C-alpha cells in the first residue's frame, strides 16, 4: 500500500469541504465588489464596466452626512473605550484573584454576554427616562460601552504576556508609578493598545442594531443609512458604498490583527 | 507615591469601567425589567406600575368578552427563534470540525494565515454581509443563475425561505465556532491518533472515539458564542426572512417604534435575556464540572 493511504491524519473529503468553505466565505464579498463596477442599474445584470457608482456615492450628500456621524461617534467611542479599557486592564492584570476583581472583569466584558438587541432597548429606555434627546450623545455613550471589551481583550492579553521586571526596575530607579507607566509600561504594551483601539473603531463603525434603535434625525450612522437604502431596493451604488466599507473594515482589522499577533510572538 | 496610594490606584482604575457599564448596561437592564411590569402608554412609552399583563400577553389575548384566550402566535416566534438558534449552532459545529481539522494539519507557516482568513469576514459590517446574501439569493442573483445553469426548474425566489435565513445566520457567526474548535484540535496530541491506529481503529473510529471527544470543549465554547448572538439576531429575519420569519429580536425591535407597546417589548426582551442567562449558567456549571475532574 502506498504511504498516503496509510496517512491516518487525512480524512477524505475534509480538504474539499474546507476549500468550498473558504470559497463560500469570500463569495459574498467578491460578489458585492464585482457588481459595484456594473454599468447597469440592476445589480445582478452585468452589462459593462463602470466606476460611475463610486462617483455617485461620493456626491451623495446624505451618505456623506451619515459617514460624518459614524466617524465622529467611532472616534470618540474609540478614545473613551480604549482609555477605560486600559485603566481596567492595568488594574486587573496585577490584581490578586479576589472575587471583586473577577466580578470587575466580567463587568468589563458584559457587552459580549448580553444580546445586543436587549442592550439597545435598555439604553433607549434609559435615555428617554433621563430626557437625553441629543442623538450624538446617546450614540457615543452606547458605542463606548459595547466597544470597551474589544479594546480590553488585546490590552489584557498584552499585559498578561509582559514581565513586570522592567516596571519594577524603573521604580527601583526612583521613577514614580506614573513615570514608570508612561516611560516603560505604555511603550511596551503600545501594540496591544493600538490593536484594541482599532478593533473598537471597526466595531463602532459597523454597528447596526444599537445605532438603528437610537436613530433620530441628525444622528443616522452609515450602517443605518445603508439599511434605509436596502429597503428602497438594491442598486450598484449600494454595492459601491458597501465595497468602500468592506475595504476600510478589512484594512483596519488586518493591521490590528497583525499588530497583536506580532506583539504576542515577541514575548515567546 | 506610596504603596498605599498605589493600592488605591488599583481600585480607582476600575471606577470608569464600572461607571460606564453601570450607566449603559446594568441600570438600563434593571429598568427594562421594571418596564416589562409597567402599563403601556397611549402613544408608545409606558406608565410605571406593577402588573404581569405584558407577560400574560405572550400566551393569551383578550377575547371579545374580556376573557383570556390562549394564543400561540408569540410562542411560535419564541419556538422559531430557538429552532433557528439551534440549527445555526448545529450547522456551524458540523462545518467547523473538518475546516478546523484541515487548518490544524496544514503546514506550520500557513496556519496563522488560514486562521486570519476565517476571522476576516467577521469584521465586515453585519449590514453589508446580509446585503451581500440579499443580492446573491435575490431575483436573477447568482444563486438563481447557478440553479438554472445546472438544469433546476423555475423558482419563485430563494429569499424569504428558512434556507436563506440559515445561510445568512451561519455566515454571520461561523468564525466564532471555527476559532475555539481549531484551538482544541490544534492541541490534540498526534500520538493519540497513532495509538488509536495501532489499536486497529480506522479513521472513522478514531474520529468518533478520539478526535471528537477531545474537541468537545472547543465545540461547547463555540456553541455558546454562536447561539447567544444567533437568538438575538435582527437583520437576517428582517432582510432575508422578509417579515415572514419573525424572530424575537425583530419582535422586540417592532415594539419600540412610535406608538407601539413598550412594556410588551420589554417583556420579550426579558424572556430573551432569561434564555441567554440559562445557557450561560449551564455552561458555567459544565466548565466547573470539568475543572473539578481535572483536579488530582
Amino acid at each position: 500500500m502506498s504511504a498516503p493511504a496509510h496517512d491516518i491524519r487525512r480524512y477524505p473529503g475534509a480538504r474539499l469541504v474546507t476549500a468550498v468553505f473558504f470559497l463560500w466565505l469570500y463569495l459574498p464579498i467578491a460578489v458585492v465588489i464585482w457588481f459595484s463596477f456594473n454599468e447597469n442599474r440592476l445589480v445582478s445584470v452585468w452589462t459593462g464596466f463602470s466606476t460611475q457608482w463610486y462617483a455617485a456615492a461620493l456626491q451623495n450628500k446624505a451618505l456623506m452626512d451619515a459617514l460624518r456621524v459614524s466617524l465622529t461617534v467611532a472616534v470618540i467611542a474609540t478614545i473613551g473605550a480604549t482609555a477605560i479599557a486600559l485603566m481596567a486592564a492595568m488594574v486587573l492584570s496585577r490584581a490578586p484573584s479576589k472575587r471583586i476583581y473577577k466580578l470587575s472583569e466580567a463587568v468589563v466584558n458584559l457587552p459580549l454576554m448580553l444580546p445586543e438587541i436587549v442592550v439597545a432597548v435598555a439604553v433607549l429606555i434609559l435615555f428617554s427616562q433621563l430626557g437625553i434627546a441629543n442623538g450624538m450623545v446617546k450614540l457615543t455613550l452606547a458605542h463606548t460601552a459595547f466597544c470597551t471589551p474589544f479594546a480590553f481583550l488585546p490590552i489584557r492579553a498584552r499585559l498578561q504576556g509582559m514581565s513586570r521586571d522592567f516596571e519594577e526596575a524603573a521604580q527601583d530607579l526612583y521613577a514614580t508609578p506614573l513615570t514608570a507607566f508612561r516611560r516603560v509600561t505604555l511603550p511596551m504594551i503600545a501594540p496591544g493598545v493600538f490593536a484594541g483601539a482599532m478593533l473598537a473603531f471597526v466595531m463602532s463603525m459597523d454597528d447596526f442594531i444599537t445605532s438603528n434603535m437610537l436613530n433620530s434625525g441628525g444622528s443616522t450612522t452609515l450602517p443605518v443609512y445603508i439599511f434605509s437604502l436596502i429597503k428602497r431596493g438594491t442598486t450598484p451604488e449600494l454595492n459601491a458604498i458597501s465595497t468602500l466599507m468592506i475595504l476600510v473594515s478589512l484594512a483596519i482589522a488586518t493591521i490590528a490583527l497583525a499588530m497583536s499577533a506580532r506583539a504576542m510572538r515577541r514575548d515567546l | 507615591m506610596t504603596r498605599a496610594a498605589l493600592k488605591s490606584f488599583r481600585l480607582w482604575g476600575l471606577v470608569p469601567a464600572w461607571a460606564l457599564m453601570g450607566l449603559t448596561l446594568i441600570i438600563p437592564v434593571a429598568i427594562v425589567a421594571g418596564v416589562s411590569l409597567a402599563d403601556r402608554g397611549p402613544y408608545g412609552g409606558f406608565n410605571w406600575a406593577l402588573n404581569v399583563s405584558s407577560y400574560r400577553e405572550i400566551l393569551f389575548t383578550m377575547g371579545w368578552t374580556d376573557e383570556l384566550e390562549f394564543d400561540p402566535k408569540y410562542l411560535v416566534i419564541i419556538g422559531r427563534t430557538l429552532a433557528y438558534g439551534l440549527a445555526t449552532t448545529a450547522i456551524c459545529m458540523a462545518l467547523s470540525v473538518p475546516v478546523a481539522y484541515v487548518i490544524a494539519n496544514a503546514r506550520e507557516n500557513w496556519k496563522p494565515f488560514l486562521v486570519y482568513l476565517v476571522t476576516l469576514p467577521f469584521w465586515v459590517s453585519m449590514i453589508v454581509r446580509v446585503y451581500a446574501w440579499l443580492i446573491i439569493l435575490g431575483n436573477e442573483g447568482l444563486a438563481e443563475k447557478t440553479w438554472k445553469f445546472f438544469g433546476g426548474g423555475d423558482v419563485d425566489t430563494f429569499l424569504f425561505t428558512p434556507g436563506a435565513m440559515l445561510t445568512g445566520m451561519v455566515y454571520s457567526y461561523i468564525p466564532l465556532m471555527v476559532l475555539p474548535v481549531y484551538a482544541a484540535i490544534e492541541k490534540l496530541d498526534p500520538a493519540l491518533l497513532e495509538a488509536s491506529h495501532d489499536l486497529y481503529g480506522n479513521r472513522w473510529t478514531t474520529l468518533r472515539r478520539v478526535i471528537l471527544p477531545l474537541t468537545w470543549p472547543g465545540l461547547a465554547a463555540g456553541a455558546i458564542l454562536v447561539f447567544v448572538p444567533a437568538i438575538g439576531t435582527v437583520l437576517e429575519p428582517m432582510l432575508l426572512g422578509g417579515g415572514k420569519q419573525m424572530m424575537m429580536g425583530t419582535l422586540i425591535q417592532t415594539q419600540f417604534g412610535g406608538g407601539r407597546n413598550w412594556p410588551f417589548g420589554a417583556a420579550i426582551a426579558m424572556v430573551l435575556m432569561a434564555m441567554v442567562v440559562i445557557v450561560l449558567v449551564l455552561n458555567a456549571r459544565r466548565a466547573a464540572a470539568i475543572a473539578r475532574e481535572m483536579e488530582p
Side-chain angles (χ1 to χ4, degrees), chain B residues 30-294:
Chain B
I31 296 178
V32 174
V35 170
S36 73
L37 297 169
D39 289 328
R40 90 183 266 193
Y43 311 103
F46 58 91
N47 300 312
W48 289 112
L50 265 184
N51 68 60
V52 292
S53 63
S54 294
Y55 290 96
R56 204 168 50 209
E57 215 176 306
I58 298 173
L59 294 176
F60 301 99
T61 48
M62 204 70 94
W64 285 105
T65 52
D66 268 6
E67 277 164 53
L68 292 174
E69 283 171 16
F70 177 70
D71 184 347
K73 70 179 167 193
Y74 296 123
L75 271 187
V76 167
I77 293 176
I78 294 173
R80 182 185 295 131
T81 305
L82 273 174
Y84 273 118
L86 290 173
T88 303
T89 310
I91 296 171
C92 286
M93 280 170 131
L95 252 176
S96 67
V97 171
V99 171
Y101 188 84
V102 168
I103 297 177
N105 286 298
R107 252 186 280 151
E108 209 55 49
N109 48 353
W110 273 76
K111 283 186 199 177
F113 179 65
L114 291 173
V115 171
Y116 160 78
L117 279 186
V118 171
T119 49
L120 203 52
F122 186 72
W123 298 104
V124 173
S125 180
M126 186 74 94
I127 186 89
V128 172
R129 283 185 274 169
V130 174
Y131 171 68
W133 283 108
L134 197 65
I135 56 178
I136 291 175
L137 299 171
N139 282 334
E140 294 189 59
L142 196 61
E144 198 176 316
K145 280 179 185 146
T146 314
W147 175 256
K148 293 225 168 105
F149 180 80
F150 286 108
D154 264 345
V155 277
D156 190 17
T157 175
F158 286 102
L159 280 176
F160 318 138
T161 60
M165 290 268 292
L166 283 175
T167 306
M169 288 176 72
V170 170
Y171 188 80
S172 293
Y173 303 118
I174 194 143
L176 299 170
M177 180 70 80
V178 175
L179 293 186
V181 173
Y182 166 75
I185 294 184
E186 161 86 327
K187 274 191 292 199
L188 254 176
D189 188 347
L192 290 175
L193 303 189
E194 274 156 36
S196 166
H197 188 67
D198 291 346
L199 295 167
Y200 303 104
N202 64 24
R203 284 196 187 91
W204 302 107
T205 324
T206 307
L207 176 69
R208 211 157 38 82
R209 306 282 291 269
V210 181
I211 299 178
L212 283 183
L214 288 170
T215 311
W216 182 244
L219 282 166
I224 303 287
L225 291 175
V226 169
F227 184 75
V228 169
I231 58 173
T233 194
V234 170
L235 275 173
E236 289 90 351
M238 271 200 296
L239 294 176
L240 302 175
K244 279 191 278 181
Q245 311 277 345
M246 177 87 88
M247 280 173 65
M248 288 172 81
T250 34
L251 180 61
I252 295 169
Q253 172 130 319
T254 53
Q255 298 306 317
F256 286 88
R260 301 300 174 86
N261 192 341
W262 282 31
F264 181 67
I268 297 286
M270 289 321 287
V271 174
L272 183 63
M273 268 273 291
M275 283 159 62
V276 169
V277 168
I278 289 170
V279 170
L280 292 179
V281 167
L282 287 179
N283 180 53
R285 284 178 58 177
R286 185 191 57 83
I290 291 175
R292 266 200 304 281
E293 257 172 51
M294 302 284 252

Side-chain angles (χ1 to χ4, degrees), chain A residues 157-240:
Chain A
R158 183 82 183 118
L159 277 167
Q160 202 95 50
M162 194 184 110
S163 158
R164 287 197 65 188
D165 294 349
F166 300 99
E167 213 178 308
E168 276 163 13
Q171 290 192 6
D172 287 345
L173 295 167
Y174 301 104
T176 64
L178 200 65
T179 315
F181 172 75
R182 204 162 43 84
R183 304 281 295 270
V184 179
T185 315
L186 193 57
M188 285 182 75
I189 60 170
V193 177
F194 191 68
M198 288 194 135
L199 295 185
F201 182 82
V202 174
M203 287 322 281
S204 172
M205 284 295 286
D206 287 352
D207 173 72
F208 172 77
I209 295 180
T210 306
S211 308
N212 185 48
M213 192 61 90
L214 298 177
N215 182 31
S216 58
S219 66
T220 301
T221 65
L222 198 47
V224 176
Y225 177 69
I226 292 178
F227 179 70
S228 72
L229 286 185
I230 292 175
K231 287 214 285 196
R232 267 185 265 158
T234 57
T235 62
E237 187 183 339
L238 207 39
N239 284 48

Side-chain angles (χ1 to χ4, degrees), chain A residues 77-101:
Chain A
T78 300
I79 295 171
T82 310
I84 290 168
L86 177 60
M87 274 191 267
M90 284 294 292
V91 177
L92 291 173
S93 64
R94 281 100 214 265
S97 66
K98 270 197 206 148
R99 202 160 235 176
I100 174 78
Y101 294 111

Side-chain angles (χ1 to χ4, degrees), chain A residues 91 176-178, chain B residues 1-13:
Chain A
V91 177
T176 64
L178 200 65
Chain B
M1 248 197 261
T2 59
R3 287 255 160 233
L6 237 173
K7 237 181 200 152
S8 74
F9 167 74
R10 268 186 192 160
L11 288 174
W12 278 114

Side-chain angles (χ1 to χ4, degrees), chain A residues 235-259:
Chain A
T235 62
E237 187 183 339
L238 207 39
N239 284 48
I241 298 168
S242 300
T243 300
L244 295 175
M245 271 193 88
I246 290 172
L247 295 181
V248 172
S249 298
L250 294 193
I252 296 177
T254 300
I255 297 170
L257 295 175
M259 286 202 75

